[in-house]
């Protein structure tokens, strides 16, 4: 499976913070926002990742992540000239994906939970068609809302409905088979001229090959697209890390625990980060742990 992180957009809701800086490079407590969706793909077992961003910010992402070799993965980059909808990421990444399955994650989405990594790998292993992830919210009218039949099967997705038929918002994480890129290329632009990801999802629903996995109470999903939600995300990460003494979305740790980096590779990563920061000191403690803990559950 290949992975795509869509880190484009103009970040207008976060101005003036995003006047010169990409939204996904803003800090969520102690690390850039893009680390969180990157960690999701890595925890899913994905080692080939495409980062899509605007031309103005591409150099910043390359400077931050480089080619991924320092994490034991392969990272490539592609430009989205203008924000023309989420589904365009599948068109831009079509050659990168090829005939493989693909996981698309939005660059401002944060997922965390004790069993989340295991659930994600389980869903990747049994993927057939499309797998979407739902999350119960208090204000479903702000989201794309999943509609299920009496048997719990996904039968429709309503975009920001005035009278939602469920409280399950469709999150910004999508697992697809190779048809997704073709479906995106065939989708029609919305009235705003955007290629909506719901169009792709509806094709899989029509084929009878779309599933919704309810993330439930044990998982946290945050969409850090506003000043308030960005602050909430930072507070969430700060509290958990302080209470539990473990990092959330520490890419070097994820790579080490997933077996993408050996101990020598982790030592090289620590040298790049430096031990002077709390982040580097934490990686030093990770490298000193024996035996190596089970990676499942670390987000």
């Amino acid at each position: 499976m290949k992975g795509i992180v869509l880190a484009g957009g103009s970040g207008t809701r976060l101005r003036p913070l995003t006047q010169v800086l990409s939204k996904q490079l803003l800090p969520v407590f102690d690390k850039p926002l893009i680390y969180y969706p990157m960690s999701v793909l890595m925890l899913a077992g994905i080692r080939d990742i495409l980062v899509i961003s605007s031309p103005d910010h591409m150099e910043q992402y390359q400077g931050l992540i480089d080619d991924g070799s320092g994490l034991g993965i392969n990272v490539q980059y592609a430009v989205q000239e203008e924000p023309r909808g989420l589904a365009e990421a599948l068109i831009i990444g079509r050659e990168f994906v090829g005939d493989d399955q693909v996981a698309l994650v939005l660059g401002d989405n944060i997922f965390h939970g004790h069993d989340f990594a295991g659930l994600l790998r389980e869903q990747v292993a049994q993927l057939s068609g499309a797998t979407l992830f739902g999350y119960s919210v208090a204000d479903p009218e702000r989201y794309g809302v999943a509609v299920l039949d009496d048997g719990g099967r996904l039968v429709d997705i309503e975009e920001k409905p005035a009278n939602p038929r469920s409280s399950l918002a469709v999150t910004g994480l999508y697992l697809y088979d190779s048809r997704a890129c073709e479906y995106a290329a065939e989708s029609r632009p919305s009235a705003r001229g955007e290629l909506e990801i719901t169009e792709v999802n509806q094709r899989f629903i029509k084929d009878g090959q779309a599933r919704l996995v309810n993330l439930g109470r044990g998982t946290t999903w945050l969409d850090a697209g506003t000043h308030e939600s960005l602050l909430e995300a930072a507070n969430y990460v700060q509290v958990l890390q302080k209470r539990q003494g473990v990092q959330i979305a520490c890419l070097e740790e994820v790579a080490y625990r997933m077996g993408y980096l050996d101990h020598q590779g982790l030592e090289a990563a620590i040298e790049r980060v430096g031990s002077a920061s709390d982040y580097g000191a934490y990686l030093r403690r990770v490298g000193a742990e024996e035996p190596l803990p089970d990676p499942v559950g670390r987000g």
Side-chain angles (χ1 to χ4, degrees):
M1 176 176 278
K2 302 288 182 62
I4 297 177
V5 181
L6 180 56
S10 54
T12 52
R13 291 183 298 171
L14 285 166
R15 297 284 176 88
L17 292 176
T18 52
Q19 199 74 35
V20 295
L21 191 66
S22 173
K23 171 173 63 175
Q24 291 81 9
L25 291 173
L26 294 175
V28 174
F29 186 51
D30 59 351
K31 59 188 73 70
L33 176 52
I34 194 173
Y35 273 35
Y36 296 86
M38 284 279 294
S39 73
V40 168
L41 298 181
M42 292 170 66
L43 285 167
I46 297 170
R47 301 181 70 169
D48 291 299
I49 297 173
L50 179 69
V51 174
I52 298 176
S53 188
S54 64
D56 293 339
H57 303 127
M58 189 60 66
E59 188 174 329
Q60 295 170 318
Y61 286 105
Q62 292 171 327
L64 177 67
I65 305 168
D66 199 24
D67 63 359
S69 59
L71 298 169
I73 61 177
N74 168 48
V75 179
Q76 299 180 37
Y77 299 88
V79 170
Q80 184 183 40
E81 295 291 347
E82 298 288 341
R84 287 187 286 261
L86 307 185
E88 190 183 32
L90 295 169
I91 299 174
I92 294 171
R94 192 171 189 175
E95 184 176 343
F96 169 79
V97 173
D99 295 327
D100 291 330
Q101 298 174 331
V102 60
L104 170 63
V105 62
L106 304 189
D108 59 0
N109 274 218
I110 297 172
F111 298 85
H112 178 256
H114 177 69
D115 296 321
F116 178 66
L119 169 69
L120 190 54
R121 289 199 286 274
E122 178 184 305
Q123 295 304 320
V124 168
Q126 64 186 37
L127 177 64
S128 176
T131 296
L132 314 179
F133 295 88
Y135 192 84
S136 183
V137 295
D139 48 356
E141 64 277 0
R142 294 180 53 233
Y143 303 93
V145 175
V147 179
L148 309 178
D149 65 13
D150 293 337
R153 290 181 294 271
L154 180 64
V155 295
D156 197 8
I157 298 174
E158 298 178 327
E159 280 297 323
K160 299 181 180 179
N163 299 294
R165 287 190 276 170
S166 86
S167 63
L168 283 175
V170 178
T171 71
L173 174 62
Y174 316 89
L175 306 181
Y176 297 120
D177 67 22
S178 59
R179 288 174 291 175
C181 296
E182 175 188 345
Y183 287 172
E186 294 172 355
S187 63
R188 297 168 298 178
S190 67
R192 296 182 300 174
E194 296 183 352
L195 298 175
E196 304 287 355
I197 199 67
T198 298
E199 287 286 314
V200 176
N201 295 333
Q202 291 286 9
R203 289 287 299 272
F204 282 103
I205 292 173
K206 184 178 179 181
D207 293 342
Q209 291 193 303
R211 298 175 58 248
L212 183 89
V213 175
N214 187 349
L215 291 176
R217 293 187 178 186
T219 301
T220 296
W221 169 57
L222 300 169
D223 179 355
T226 66
H227 293 100
E228 291 79 7
S229 59
L230 195 63
L231 178 61
E232 289 172 1
N235 289 336
Y236 175 84
V237 172
Q238 189 270 339
V239 168
L240 277 183
Q241 291 186 170
K242 182 177 180 180
R243 293 276 296 189
Q244 298 180 353
V246 297
Q247 285 270 339
I248 298 173
C250 175
L251 297 187
E252 294 83 0
E253 180 188 15
V254 172
Y256 182 54
R257 297 194 187 280
M258 290 293 294
Y260 304 160
L261 289 180
D262 59 15
H263 196 272
Q264 185 177 359
L266 180 63
E267 286 295 321
I270 294 171
E271 287 298 316
R272 286 191 297 273
V273 174
S275 299
S277 68
D278 290 342
Y279 190 89
Y282 173 77
L283 285 176
R284 180 66 67 191
R285 294 197 301 273
V286 169
E289 290 180 1
E290 292 291 348
L292 191 63
D294 187 334
V296 175
R298 291 292 181 93

